[in-house]
Amino acid sequence: MQRDELYEIGLAQRRNMFGVQGAEDQVEHTTDVNDKIQEFVTRVCFGDIWQRPGLALKDRSKITLAMLIAQGKSHEIRIHIRGALANGVTPLELRELIVHSILYIGIPGAVEGIRALEEILDEQGLTFEIDGESHRDGDDALADATSGKAGQA
């Protein structure tokens, strides 16, 4: 594996987003089968592309997660939900990203995203109570929608 500045920057980014488990534990236990992929992910993905100006890490996390949900990549969805939380994306933003995805990828993909979000929130001891929406009755939601309050943060 080529260990240069991009590699070290990428390893640090992986550590910040996924902890030691998603950084050193991945690259220090490579084999001849997977070492090139781990090097590419560390150097190019996290050492170069994730470092580019123009998008905040939080935005990159949301975009990445949306693409993974669209592709149905359940393992990577879970990994990147953890990374998104580490990058400052809130549980509410994650839920809304997944709800929004229903429009473009369909219900099965969105359901997989919600399943993953619930799993990670539970794993990290975070509450499922993020905006009280599940406790409002239909009349409250209809009033918000018709008054222009829906979608306001």
Side-chain angles (χ1 to χ4, degrees), residues 19-146:
V20 171
Q21 179 183 2
E24 286 84 0
D25 286 358
Q26 294 292 312
V27 300
E28 291 175 4
H29 297 97
T30 60
T31 66
D32 287 343
V33 173
N34 66 12
D35 69 320
K36 295 302 176 202
I37 290 174
Q38 287 297 327
E39 179 181 1
F40 182 85
V41 168
T42 303
R43 291 182 77 251
V44 177
C45 179
F46 292 104
D48 184 12
I49 303 300
W50 274 76
Q51 305 306 315
R52 293 178 53 80
L55 287 173
L57 290 176
K58 183 177 176 177
D59 296 328
R60 288 184 192 280
S61 281
K62 289 188 277 188
I63 292 165
T64 300
L65 187 56
M67 289 188 279
L68 292 170
I69 291 169
Q71 294 180 56
K73 303 297 184 188
S74 60
H75 177 73
E76 295 293 322
I77 290 168
R78 286 162 174 77
I79 290 170
H80 278 276
I81 286 174
R82 290 183 193 98
L85 289 166
N87 283 338
V89 180
T90 68
L92 175 60
E93 290 172 311
L94 291 170
R95 192 224 27 220
E96 289 304 312
L97 182 151
I98 295 164
V99 168
H100 191 75
S101 74
I102 293 169
L103 300 172
Y104 300 96
I105 66 166
I107 293 170
V111 168
E112 178 58 30
I114 288 293
R115 257 192 223 118
L117 177 58
E118 289 174 337
E119 179 183 311
I120 303 310
L121 291 177
D122 187 53
E123 169 189 291
Q124 294 192 7
L126 298 172
T127 182
F128 286 26
E129 300 298 320
I130 54 180
D131 65 357
E133 191 172 86
S134 65
H135 301 295
R136 295 188 329 191
D137 65 26
D139 292 338
D140 290 341
L142 179 60
D144 282 355
T146 58

